[in-house]
Amino acid sequence: MNTIAFAERTRGGRPFLDARLAGNLRGALWLALIAAAIGLFVMAFGSPFIVRLTATAFINLIAVVGLQIFMGNSNVVNIGHAGFMALGAYFTAIFATPVMIKATMIPNAPFGLAGVEVGALYAFLISVGLTSLIGLLSGLVLVRLAGIAATILTISILVIVQGVLVTWTDLFRGAQAFFGIPKVVGLGLIVAAAAAVLVVARLFKGSRAGVQLRASATDPLAAEAMGVDVKRLRLVAWVLGSAVVGCAGALYALYAGTINARAFYFHTAFLTLAMSIVGGMRSVTGAMVGVALLTVLLELIRIVEGGITVFGIAFPEMLGLSGLMLGVIIVGVMCFRSDGFMGGHEIEEVVTALRRRLVARKREA
Amino acid sequence: MDYLIEQALNGFSIGAQYSLLALGLAIVFSVMGLVNFAHGEFIGVAGYAMFAMAAMGMTDPLLLVVFAMATVTLVALVLERIAFRPVRNAPSTTGLLTAFGVGIILQNLFLLMVSPRPKAVPELSALNQTVDVWGHNFTILQFLEVGVTTVAIAGLVWFLKGTRIGLAMRAAALDFTTVRLMGMRANRVIATAFAISGLLASIAAIFFIARRGAIDPFMGLLPVLKAFVACVLGGFGSLPGAVVGGLLLGFVEVMLIVLLPDKLAGLRDASVFLIVGAILVFRPQGILGRRVELGDKTA
């Protein structure tokens, strides 16, 4: 909608909601509904394996949406988000795990944390809060840099978090798995959280701050000339994004019950990054599409990877095939459709365009 | 004092490796604006080329080295042709992500075709013999690293200053359009940049492999991250900056190995990145980078 049409609509009669906000809300509800529908369907009919796969996919979705909030709006490639996922998971684990289990795992935890135990919900909230705080501190440094230097700094964050987790054995158990976290979260809660996060990301993207940030990503000079405070907006997006990613980690801890620092390193970072790219990192709908596409595809490839028999020919085990395909997909998407599957569009735009095309075709006929 | 001298040479030799890698990154970046995330995989290519040749019975270390260097340069050229040419005019984020995909492909090819587990490449281990120089213990490798890197950098300077294509590459860093208007072929300039970057990476790779004596599919990841850090430290896209950043990084790393107790060894890489982050906070443009304001015509 161009500016003039927008102004005319607001002048003629006051709509109940600001048109832009209404559009964003509609798109957000679409996404939340689709996520909820998939979740409910799987909960009703899925085998335990499918349920587990879906739960992981939705946790990945939350992480990818968190990634989108910063990367999609500011156009700075972020690889450090897996570190925030680790922080979210570990903080939850430290606060939620029963004192009895902690007495054997981390008896010497500093700050008397070995004797602290709170309910899972509070642990979740504390963990997301702490992750956001670390996001704020790192963000203050990050916004001083732009472009590739900022990307390098996000990698540094990942390496530093991993180093601290592995070395500080008194608090994080080092390279050993942290187990005994109460498994209180099921697929239902994860889906609900994913739906909520989708709405948050859509509203942020459409908000004043989101629009200004996206403008600064397209043309920093023009945006600054218009009085956009790029640094502050990047900081806001970074903190919000790290809170969402931390939420993904926290849910993972409460779902799986056992976490390991190695699980939140470059592999996770690259996988979620690939999901974001394939769907189109500029759109929230793209995050969902990317997660869905890559989850299904990688699962299919994993069947081949384990060695299958087709028409009597036994194919050997092919470790690395899924990784190889992941790379091929990324390069292919970048070469032929660098904006990803959704091309930066959101679901309600696609629906409107489709409807318009149908109407036009009907009129022609 | 002895210890200090030994560690200083150690810092130099490790820093030299990072400088070589960082130079390759900086050359490609300055010419075509591509952040080549797949640069680290050149180390893997060199390693697996040597491994394959050794498995087929070629044991002469010198031949292996030459073969590895030729393979890496060839792979760099092929990658430029099939993966990076389609995204040449795309925004830098697209190039970065393409390179990152290429890196994943190469890593998984090693994994798929050879093995996910580390493999031994002992042919170069003779270089780790210690020699006695004025009462200090050095390895042959350390001298080679410092010496070969110096020669390589000198050769690069000659190439950039003394040849026509080198001049074109330096000009391309400032204004590619004008270079093309002068009748230089864009493809040739960029292909040369990739070939040089591959060649420098292969030299670094041979030192890495000689030090470790083994290869694994993901061995390129950490070195390339450090090379990136070196580039950013020195000022991204600046060639002298890449060398200075690489040497500085080598010294910082050796210092940390000496200073950090074994219990905190896991924090070694983390500390390197922390120190670099701290430097960038105070000098976001890097050590030799020029501060560019938004809207400056020459970047």
Side-chain angles (χ1 to χ4, degrees):
Chain A
M1 190 186 313
N2 63 38
T3 329
I4 297 174
F6 182 74
E8 274 171 355
R9 183 178 291 192
T10 38
R11 206 180 298 141
R14 281 184 73 83
F16 173 61
L17 273 175
D18 177 54
R20 201 174 60 197
L21 181 61
N24 282 316
L25 268 180
R26 205 170 67 229
L29 287 181
W30 266 108
L31 289 181
L33 275 179
I34 294 173
I38 296 174
L40 284 175
F41 183 80
V42 169
M43 272 194 279
F45 302 109
S47 64
F49 169 74
I50 298 285
V51 169
R52 206 164 49 227
L53 186 67
T54 317
T56 322
F58 272 99
I59 288 170
N60 279 337
L61 175 62
I62 299 177
V64 174
V65 169
L67 191 60
Q68 194 276 334
I69 291 179
F70 177 72
M71 199 166 97
N73 292 316
S74 71
N75 201 22
V76 174
V77 177
N78 175 8
I79 303 177
H81 57 287
F84 286 96
M85 222 170 145
L87 290 177
Y90 269 92
F91 288 142
T92 310
I94 287 166
F95 282 104
T97 308
V99 172
M100 295 254 293
I101 300 179
K102 274 200 277 196
T104 60
M105 273 199 310
I106 44 168
N108 304 321
F111 320 120
L113 281 172
V116 177
E117 179 187 341
V118 298
L121 177 66
Y122 293 108
F124 175 81
L125 292 177
I126 293 173
S127 139
V128 173
L130 284 176
T131 314
S132 317
L133 186 68
I134 293 176
L136 178 67
L137 294 179
S138 57
L140 287 172
V141 179
L142 184 88
V143 295
R144 293 175 59 89
L145 304 175
I148 178 66
T151 302
I152 298 292
L153 193 65
T154 64
I155 297 176
S156 315
I157 292 172
L158 182 60
V159 176
I160 292 169
V161 168
Q162 186 73 23
V164 172
L165 288 184
V166 173
T167 315
W168 200 350
T169 38
D170 282 353
L171 187 55
F172 298 112
R173 280 208 100 210
Q176 286 171 294
F178 197 117
F179 55 86
I181 310 158
K183 293 188 196 179
V184 291
V185 168
L187 179 57
L189 271 176
I190 294 175
V191 172
V197 162
L198 284 166
V199 173
V200 169
R202 265 318 301 271
L203 291 185
F204 177 75
K205 186 186 169 192
S207 72
R208 189 189 172 83
V211 173
Q212 289 184 338
L213 189 58
R214 279 185 288 147
S216 80
T218 321
D219 189 340
L221 186 59
E224 287 210 359
M226 294 294 167
V228 172
D229 189 346
V230 180
K231 284 187 178 173
R232 199 184 58 104
L233 291 175
R234 276 200 185 158
L235 183 61
V236 170
W238 174 257
V239 175
L240 187 63
S242 45
V244 170
V245 172
C247 170
L251 285 173
Y252 178 76
L254 293 172
Y255 175 75
T258 308
I259 52 174
N260 194 327
R262 282 286 156 208
F264 302 103
Y265 209 27
F266 280 104
H267 180 74
T268 311
F270 287 164
L271 179 67
T272 40
L273 188 62
M275 287 172 166
S276 181
I277 300 164
V278 168
M281 69 179 190
R282 287 200 291 128
S283 104
V284 182
T285 316
M288 211 158 141
V289 174
V291 172
L293 279 180
L294 278 191
T295 306
V296 173
L297 201 72
L298 288 180
E299 209 47 53
L300 291 180
I301 293 171
R302 241 163 243 148
I303 299 172
V304 181
E305 206 172 37
I308 52 164
T309 315
V310 185
F311 302 124
I313 306 163
F315 285 91
E317 206 179 41
M318 291 183 278
L319 283 175
L321 193 63
S322 56
L324 183 68
M325 288 314 291
L326 194 66
V328 171
I329 293 167
I330 294 175
V331 174
V333 167
M334 280 298 133
C335 288
F336 299 113
R337 199 176 161 84
S338 64
D339 247 348
F341 189 86
M342 290 303 292
H345 296 297
E346 294 292 350
I347 185 161
E348 79 273 10
E349 294 164 353
V350 176
V351 171
T352 317
L354 272 181
R355 203 179 281 159
R356 216 169 269 161
R357 204 178 295 171
L358 277 181
V359 170
R361 196 168 293 168
K362 214 174 273 174
R363 214 171 276 159
E364 269 172 33
Chain B
M1 191 59 207
D2 286 1
Y3 189 62
L4 209 63
I5 292 174
E6 277 165 30
Q7 292 306 339
L9 186 68
N10 220 350
F12 251 116
S13 53
I14 291 181
Q17 296 179 8
Y18 291 140
S19 296
L20 286 175
L21 282 175
L23 262 178
L25 282 172
I27 285 174
V28 168
F29 180 80
S30 69
V31 169
M32 69 176 286
L34 173 79
V35 180
N36 188 4
F37 224 99
H39 197 69
E41 267 51 66
F42 291 154
I43 299 177
V45 171
Y48 280 90
M50 281 163 65
F51 175 73
M53 272 298 145
M56 280 191 263
M58 187 201 268
T59 44
D60 182 9
L62 200 63
L63 271 181
L64 278 179
V65 166
V66 172
F67 179 75
M69 286 169 67
T71 315
V72 173
T73 313
L74 196 69
V75 167
L77 285 171
V78 170
L79 287 183
E80 190 274 324
R81 181 69 194 83
I82 59 177
F84 297 125
R85 202 170 283 184
V87 296
R88 188 182 288 172
N89 297 318
S92 64
T93 314
T94 310
L96 169 73
L97 295 174
T98 310
F100 149 78
V102 170
I104 294 182
I105 293 180
L106 287 175
Q107 286 171 0
N108 285 287
L109 273 180
F110 304 144
L111 206 156
L112 194 62
M113 297 201 301
V114 186
S115 159
R117 276 182 290 279
K119 292 276 177 193
V121 180
E123 281 77 13
L124 299 178
S125 49
L127 295 177
N128 283 316
Q129 279 170 352
T130 51
V131 285
D132 194 79
V133 183
W134 302 307
H136 301 295
N137 278 328
F138 298 117
T139 64
I140 304 173
L141 188 61
Q142 286 177 316
F143 287 114
L144 271 182
E145 279 168 334
V146 176
V148 173
T149 306
T150 314
V151 172
I153 291 175
L156 182 66
V157 170
W158 169 79
F159 183 81
L160 287 176
K161 300 239 156 136
T163 63
R164 180 185 291 239
I165 190 112
L167 178 68
M169 282 170 61
R170 281 189 297 142
L174 294 174
D175 189 342
F176 208 131
T177 316
T178 311
V179 173
R180 296 183 65 188
L181 285 174
M182 297 299 135
M184 293 304 294
R185 288 191 191 174
N187 286 346
R188 195 170 291 168
V189 175
I190 291 177
T192 314
F194 264 91
I196 292 176
S197 123
L199 196 63
L200 294 176
S202 68
I203 299 174
I206 282 157
F207 294 141
F208 267 104
I209 296 158
R211 261 174 194 262
R212 292 169 42 134
I215 52 174
D216 71 79
F218 304 102
M219 65 191 286
L221 185 62
L222 213 54
V224 78
L225 288 183
K226 299 225 176 108
F228 266 124
V229 166
C231 275
V232 172
L233 259 185
F236 217 97
S238 145
L239 301 191
V243 177
V244 171
L247 287 178
L248 187 67
L249 197 66
F251 277 110
V252 169
E253 207 171 292
V254 168
M255 198 182 76
L256 283 169
I257 292 174
V258 174
L259 291 183
L260 278 184
D262 280 347
K263 195 167 155 278
L264 297 178
L267 280 181
R268 228 169 255 161
D269 288 330
S271 322
V272 172
F273 280 96
L274 196 66
I275 292 171
V276 169
I279 294 177
L280 286 181
V281 171
F282 296 106
R283 262 192 93 77
Q285 73 275 34
I287 297 167
L288 294 185
R290 209 162 39 82
R291 182 149 206 126
V292 181
E293 293 292 331
L294 269 181
D296 280 2
K297 280 298 176 197
T298 50

